Amino acid sequence: MEGGQQLIASYELLLQQSKGMLELARRGDWAALLQEKSCGLVDAESLRQLEARISLGQREQQRKFELLEQILALDAEIRTHLLARRDELGRLIVSSGRQRELNRTYRPGVGAAPVYQAADRFDKGLP
């Protein structure tokens, strides 16, 4: 069952990629995470094609199951980090919009009422 060993090795590689992606997510290296994720998707497609051609024995099926459990657990943690990042970006977008509105509202000379000096409004000759 040489093909079975190749398939298990592919799942082990996918596990290592998942561990690497989790580390990138923990560090907040979003660009590298997206790059790694896109490469991982290509490998996952190759894995599906390989699996369609190979049948596994009982021991190999058990190992595959163990690897998949680990991969899914890592994926869930990666997803948690990604959702937290999405929420953070959402807050930043809202905050930026508010700041832009405040700047428009209170920016001198643009749509704001003219500012008068008190001395200009009152007669200077009165005691």
Side-chain angles (χ1 to χ4, degrees):
M1 275 205 189
E2 184 178 310
Q5 291 301 324
Q6 182 183 5
L7 183 60
I8 295 301
S10 295
Y11 274 105
E12 288 172 345
L13 178 60
L14 190 57
L15 176 62
Q16 292 308 311
Q17 288 175 335
S18 295
K19 287 178 180 179
M21 288 189 304
L22 177 57
E23 189 56 39
L24 293 170
R26 286 177 176 163
R27 288 194 324 242
D29 191 346
W30 308 114
L33 177 62
L34 291 174
Q35 178 68 30
E36 185 69 22
K37 184 70 172 172
S38 65
C39 292
L41 291 175
V42 172
D43 292 341
E45 179 57 33
S46 298
L47 184 64
R48 278 191 285 278
Q49 291 174 4
L50 182 61
E51 189 154 7
R53 298 187 315 253
I54 296 173
S55 63
L56 298 176
Q58 183 66 28
R59 254 184 13 182
E60 292 167 325
Q61 282 284 358
Q62 181 60 36
R63 178 65 180 145
K64 175 185 157 185
F65 177 75
E66 292 166 358
L67 291 167
L68 282 172
E69 279 186 321
Q70 293 175 46
I71 292 166
L72 291 173
L74 294 171
D75 187 57
E77 189 174 343
I78 292 167
R79 188 175 304 117
T80 299
H81 287 283
L82 287 171
L83 291 173
R85 177 63 175 161
R86 181 201 63 191
D87 293 345
E88 177 186 1
L89 290 173
R91 287 189 299 274
L92 288 172
I93 289 169
V94 168
S95 176
S96 176
R98 287 182 185 152
Q99 184 65 44
R100 193 172 39 252
E101 287 299 316
L102 285 171
N103 286 340
R104 270 192 222 130
T105 302
Y106 294 105
R107 187 179 321 146
V110 179
V115 177
Y116 295 104
Q117 296 296 325
D120 295 339
R121 304 269 327 242
F122 298 101
D123 185 14
K124 294 180 185 175
L126 294 175

